[in-house]
Amino acid sequence: MDLTNRSSQTWLHFLTLTTAFNSFTLFAVLCKSFAIMSRSEVLSQILCTTVFIAMLGLASLCFEKIKRKELHLLLRGEFVLTLFFSLTPILVGFFQSSYYFSNSPTWLWFPLMLILMVPFGFLTGFELPFFLHLLPKRENYLLFLNYSGSLIASMITVLVFHDFNFLITTCAILGFINFTLYLLTHLLITKTKLYKLLPQFLIFTFIILGLANFKNFYKTLHKMTFLGYRVESLQDLKSAYSHASIAPDFLSKTTPYQTIDIVPAQIFRPNSADNRWGLYLNHQIQFFSDSERIYHQVMSFFPLAYLGSIPKDILILGGGDLGLARELSKLKFHGVNVSVVELDPEILKLAKTNPKLRSINKYDQIKNDINIINDDAVNFLRSNNKKYDYILADFPFPTSFELGKLYTKEFYKLVHSRLNTNGFFVLDFPYHLSQPEHEKDAGAILLNTLRAAGFQKNVIFGVNETFVLNLKSDLVPNFDYTFIDDHLDNYVITNMVDRTEEFKNLFKRNGIIHSIFKPTRKFKIDQY
Amino acid sequence: MKQITFILAWASLMYEFCLSQVMSIIFGSITTQYIITTGLFIFFLGIGALVYEYKIKDSKIIKIYHIEFCICFFGALSSILPFVFLDIFGHQLAKILSWLLIALIATLSGVELPALMHLSKNKIQTLGWDYLGMCFAGLSFTFIFLPYFGVVATSFIVASVNFLIALILMRRFNVLKFKLLIPMTTPFILLFFFNGKIENYLEGVFIGLN
């Protein structure tokens, strides 16, 4: 084997660039997968990076101890990495589904991350020292190529990675590239005979074929994540899987912003005639079809009844399912303007076209009465100086850093600045008196944060679903239900209750404020 | 030397995390910002190593403490400058300028390790302590600095520690003059003193009131 000739050196340069590209791409993809799984993007991203770098360092140090640093050894490592690339989607798929068992701890993602990141980082860490050893006179150029490969990978990955199906495709491509490089290096540089590589070829082909069939298997795993099984043995796992296999398929979409699932009740009782369904965003229930009217009507109309007035300009942030828009468009005869600002175009598309969502939001009846804007809430408020009388925030619960930004002092200050003098702001208050203590802390933090943003009065209302009405000044209530009476279903009226007095102790708890610059770790509610 | 390596490696990665956090506040999508920042950081760390090899190693003028002072300066401002760019230049240009800031800090950080290895007797040990420092950065940023100090104060604290190390290196090279201490420490004291006002300004930029 001659590594001094120009063509061998050029090939090794190319290997340096492409192996770095492959490794960083998988690193980025794993970071994103665990960020989604953990719902703690900052924590998971930093720990993934820390573990990866630590393993790179450990491998570099261990490299010194290797006695025979030959190209064959590097190629064996690359073959193992090839298998790793190809098996990653299967492992991530299993990990993601196990994370949603009802008895899985919230920190489960961390040991699962270690299982993947430690061997991956360790194997990757041998690459650069090996190349530097094989071509010692080209040290700086090899470093440049290695770092360039990582940079290109970082730019490409963030632009294209969207969902799990893409994880399968990405890993298959990375595996294919790595295996091709492995084969070609053997054939061109070490001059290995092709028949000697047949076992490796068969192993790789077998895994890729398995990966191709994994999509269907993953569908069943995905259904399993909604069943809420308690898994304590292999038998439990088998029961959960067989239940999921016979459960009906349902709509499931992953967008750059969230995962959307419209889950039928029949998934829990496969042979029943139950037609109910639930809308889930990021595995978090938003509403069920048989009880959504309580949520949407109470949230929309209690503030109007409390203050005894009808606002002229109403802004709904989030609420892409158009449930709130359906309710507030009933006020059109009072000359009310309703605007909806939703970040995710996919949920808007489903709201307009999906039969289940259309049965809820009555899109055909309301489409001429509302103004739908596809934009980020923060961006919209920053770039529009228009002021509103009534702003509603219909966001998913703050179970991640990204969503937590919509519950910060800075965001609420932004909302405050876009309200007229007597304007008011309503949001979902996802806390109940029977919650565990740490979630009561989170409720107190939310109230403190609203007050720090300038809302002088907070009124907590609703029975089945709780909300908080925030006023810029200490307005006196002027209860008047008459103008909204016709818009409420009978069973909803009993939920139109002011419960501020029940929560008064919450107002006195801790003084922590959730800020975008200093996000408090206590501001977290558990899943579901 | 190993403690200095540990602290400087810790500081470098802390700046990267601060920048990633600030980029995600301004430009959204935290995972995207972390991945882009990490990719840029790794690349320009490499560029920094090359800069050291070809320009600084044999230089009689530029010493490691000069590099550290530059890192302190830009590191302290790492949480503030992206907002200033946003305020003055708007969204698109702010993104590009922020990436240039990441490149600058990473290049300067990339000069550090080869310089420290040059000063050290045991290169492998220095490398090991460098990796340990980076690991500690990950844990300390997530569990201590971000929740208790916030991203703005974190960059000030890290820059202050970095500054102390620069002074220690100056002393090692016997060039530390005590009369320079007051003008050199004044900017850091001012930053701490005006931390609240700075956060109010950044908040104003975020809300779009400025």
Side-chain angles (χ1 to χ4, degrees):
Chain A
M1 181 181 13
D2 179 17
L3 294 177
T4 57
N5 69 66
R6 197 175 172 79
S7 55
S8 296
Q9 289 189 0
T10 306
W11 181 251
L12 284 176
H13 291 159
F14 178 69
L15 264 187
T16 308
L17 179 73
T18 41
T19 52
F21 174 86
N22 286 354
S23 298
F24 195 90
T25 302
L26 188 67
F27 161 74
V29 154
L30 284 174
C31 282
K32 203 143 186 178
S33 300
F34 284 107
I36 294 168
M37 203 189 302
S38 67
R39 296 186 195 172
S40 298
E41 299 98 320
V42 176
L43 183 63
S44 70
Q45 190 79 44
I46 288 175
L47 289 180
C48 284
T49 306
T50 304
V51 169
F52 186 65
I53 289 174
M55 288 301 112
L56 289 181
L58 189 62
S60 298
L61 293 172
C62 290
F63 179 77
E64 293 292 311
K65 300 203 184 319
I66 297 173
K67 291 199 174 101
R68 292 176 60 190
K69 301 178 177 68
E70 293 171 352
L71 184 58
H72 285 288
L73 200 58
L74 172 65
L75 290 174
R76 268 187 219 150
E78 286 305 319
F79 181 68
V80 174
L81 267 176
T82 301
L83 299 181
F84 191 90
F85 287 143
S86 312
L87 289 169
T88 291
I90 298 172
L91 292 170
V92 170
F94 274 120
F95 290 166
Q96 276 183 347
S97 59
S98 66
Y99 194 67
Y100 291 103
F101 296 148
S102 65
N103 53 328
S104 293
T106 52
W107 46 259
L108 182 63
W109 68 271
F110 181 67
L112 299 179
M113 183 272 288
L114 288 177
I115 290 170
L116 285 178
M117 207 54 101
V118 166
F120 168 57
F122 192 69
L123 284 169
T124 304
F126 281 107
E127 285 173 347
L128 184 59
F130 246 116
F131 290 124
L132 292 172
H133 173 75
L134 292 170
L135 296 176
K137 292 181 183 167
R138 305 288 289 166
E139 194 179 83
N140 294 322
Y141 188 53
L142 288 172
L143 279 173
F144 173 74
L145 289 171
N146 183 270
Y147 295 137
S148 298
S150 301
L151 177 64
I152 297 167
S154 70
M155 294 296 171
I156 290 176
T157 315
V158 298
L159 291 173
V160 298
F161 178 72
H162 286 312
D163 59 17
F164 187 80
N165 287 328
F166 194 81
L167 173 68
I168 297 177
T169 313
T170 303
C171 289
I173 291 172
L174 291 178
F176 179 75
I177 292 172
N178 231 59
F179 188 66
T180 307
L181 294 173
Y182 167 81
L183 274 183
L184 289 173
T185 309
H186 263 300
L187 294 173
L188 300 173
I189 308 295
T190 65
K191 311 287 185 203
T192 310
K193 299 273 186 261
L194 191 59
Y195 71 88
K196 287 188 179 176
L197 299 168
L198 196 57
Q200 291 92 323
F201 181 79
L202 289 171
I203 293 170
F204 178 68
T205 309
F206 179 73
I207 291 174
I208 289 294
L209 287 173
L211 204 57
N213 288 315
F214 188 67
K215 273 189 190 177
N216 291 331
F217 183 58
Y218 179 72
K219 247 188 181 179
T220 309
L221 287 180
H222 184 64
K223 279 191 267 180
M224 228 164 76
T225 63
F226 287 93
L227 296 176
Y229 260 76
R230 187 177 180 85
V231 173
E232 289 171 343
S233 64
L234 198 55
Q235 188 54 44
D236 292 340
L237 190 60
K238 283 182 184 171
S239 303
Y241 187 79
S242 49
H243 184 161
S245 318
I246 60 171
D249 288 345
F250 52 84
L251 184 139
S252 182
K253 278 186 185 288
T254 305
T255 76
Y257 310 103
Q258 59 197 347
T259 55
I260 306 168
D261 295 280
I262 299 181
V263 183
Q266 284 165 340
I267 193 179
F268 303 104
R269 289 181 294 278
N271 299 316
S272 73
D274 195 342
N275 287 327
R276 293 176 299 159
W277 51 272
L279 174 68
Y280 288 76
L281 298 178
N282 297 327
H283 270 84
Q284 195 184 85
I285 182 67
Q286 301 304 298
F287 60 77
F288 291 108
S289 57
D290 60 336
S291 58
E292 56 84 17
R293 294 177 92 85
I294 298 175
Y295 177 91
H296 291 124
Q297 288 183 2
V298 173
M299 187 175 183
S300 302
F301 295 124
F302 178 90
L304 309 189
Y306 183 85
L307 296 167
S309 66
I310 299 178
K312 278 285 175 274
D313 291 301
I314 301 176
L315 177 66
I316 303 169
L317 301 172
D321 51 73
L322 302 182
L324 286 176
R326 175 198 71 209
E327 295 303 326
L328 291 165
S329 66
K330 293 173 184 172
L331 300 172
K332 63 186 178 194
F333 298 112
H334 298 273
V336 169
N337 300 313
V338 179
S339 302
V340 177
V341 175
E342 168 60 49
L343 173 66
D344 191 351
E346 196 57 42
I347 189 81
L348 285 174
K349 187 178 163 194
L350 286 172
K352 293 173 187 173
T353 57
N354 178 268
K356 286 187 161 69
L357 284 177
R358 282 168 63 98
S359 69
I360 295 285
N361 62 32
K362 315 283 184 220
Y363 180 68
D364 282 336
Q365 295 169 22
I366 67 168
K367 62 185 178 188
N368 296 325
D369 303 324
I370 57 173
N371 178 28
I372 298 175
I373 302 152
N374 177 212
D375 199 356
D376 171 66
V378 172
N379 200 48
F380 177 81
L381 292 173
R382 288 182 79 249
S383 52
N384 283 280
N385 289 325
K386 183 179 159 82
K387 295 207 179 200
Y388 296 86
D389 301 309
Y390 182 19
I391 297 179
L392 300 93
D394 190 15
F395 301 131
F397 292 171
T399 52
S400 66
F401 177 79
E402 284 293 334
L403 288 168
K405 284 198 296 188
L406 300 171
Y407 291 79
T408 58
K409 179 186 75 167
E410 290 77 15
F411 178 74
Y412 291 146
K413 273 195 172 182
L414 187 52
V415 170
H416 187 281
S417 70
R418 298 298 186 262
L419 282 169
N420 287 322
T421 312
N422 290 326
F424 44 98
F425 170 50
V426 163
L427 62 143
D428 196 352
F429 187 68
Y431 306 105
H432 304 275
L433 290 172
S434 57
Q435 274 169 328
E437 289 302 307
H438 70 275
E439 291 194 13
K440 287 182 185 166
D441 272 337
I445 291 170
L446 180 61
L447 293 172
N448 291 330
T449 304
L450 286 162
R451 291 213 163 158
F455 291 103
Q456 299 295 323
K457 187 171 178 177
N458 315 103
V459 178
I460 300 172
F461 64 95
V463 178
N464 229 31
E465 306 277 353
T466 12
F467 307 92
V468 58
L469 163 64
N470 304 283
L471 306 166
K472 287 174 92 166
S473 56
D474 196 0
L475 288 176
V476 176
N478 184 24
F479 285 101
D480 184 1
Y481 286 86
T482 53
F483 57 92
I484 57 157
D485 202 29
D486 290 340
H487 305 311
L488 293 176
D489 292 352
N490 289 339
Y491 61 89
V492 171
I493 291 173
T494 51
N495 284 273
M496 304 271 282
V497 177
D498 179 353
R499 299 176 62 202
T500 312
E501 195 56 31
E502 280 177 58
F503 285 85
K504 65 178 178 199
N505 287 335
L506 210 55
F507 286 91
K508 296 175 197 163
R509 256 174 118 101
N510 74 59
I512 300 172
I513 291 165
H514 186 56
S515 164
I516 208 166
F517 298 107
K518 195 171 159 185
T520 170
R521 289 177 60 76
K522 285 189 174 184
F523 189 65
K524 198 91 186 279
I525 65 166
D526 287 334
Q527 309 150 26
Y528 338 121
Chain B
M1 208 63 210
K2 45 193 180 199
Q3 292 92 340
I4 290 177
T5 308
F6 178 87
I7 293 171
L8 292 180
W10 166 81
S12 296
L13 208 58
M14 289 291 279
Y15 294 135
E16 193 229 314
F17 291 144
C18 286
L19 279 161
S20 302
Q21 193 72 12
V22 164
M23 298 282 282
S24 71
I25 290 170
I26 299 174
F27 303 113
S29 185
I30 186 166
T31 318
T32 302
Q33 299 309 327
Y34 265 82
I35 289 171
I36 291 178
T37 309
T38 304
L40 280 170
F41 216 79
I42 290 174
F43 180 76
F44 283 99
L45 279 178
I47 297 290
L50 292 175
V51 165
Y52 175 80
E53 181 68 27
Y54 291 116
K55 295 284 179 197
I56 296 175
K57 190 165 135 184
D58 300 318
S59 168
K60 290 186 171 59
I61 301 168
I62 303 173
K63 301 294 174 200
I64 185 171
Y65 49 85
H66 294 130
I67 304 296
E68 291 309 319
F69 285 129
C70 289
I71 296 179
C72 293
F73 177 74
F74 288 107
L77 299 177
S78 58
S79 301
I80 304 170
L81 284 176
F83 283 94
V84 173
F85 297 150
L86 180 69
D87 195 16
I88 299 172
F89 300 111
H91 206 264
Q92 288 307 323
L93 204 50
K95 206 179 249 190
I96 295 167
L97 289 170
S98 300
W99 287 351
L100 286 174
L101 178 63
I102 294 167
L104 177 62
I105 294 178
T107 306
L108 291 169
S109 299
V111 170
E112 269 178 359
L113 182 59
L116 288 167
M117 285 171 84
H118 184 71
L119 291 171
S120 160
K121 291 171 191 161
N122 189 332
K123 292 187 191 323
I124 298 296
Q125 207 178 58
T126 305
L127 186 65
W129 280 100
D130 189 74
Y131 281 120
L132 277 174
M134 288 199 273
C135 288
F136 182 66
L139 298 170
S140 59
F141 183 81
T142 316
F143 292 111
I144 302 170
F145 284 91
L146 186 62
Y148 291 106
F149 297 102
V151 68
V152 178
T154 296
S155 61
F156 296 162
I157 294 169
V158 175
S160 302
V161 173
N162 210 155
F163 177 72
L164 283 172
I165 299 297
L167 292 177
I168 291 170
L169 287 168
M170 275 184 91
R171 193 154 187 275
R172 190 188 161 104
F173 282 88
N174 296 316
V175 294
L176 180 64
K177 293 181 176 52
F178 284 100
K179 63 181 178 185
L180 291 176
L181 271 179
I182 292 175
M184 285 163 79
T185 54
T186 303
F188 291 98
I189 295 167
L190 286 175
L191 279 175
F192 275 110
F193 191 67
F194 288 109
N195 182 42
K197 285 196 189 314
I198 292 171
E199 279 203 4
N200 285 342
Y201 165 72
L202 301 185
E203 193 181 270
V205 173
F206 176 78
I207 295 171
L209 293 176
N210 289 4

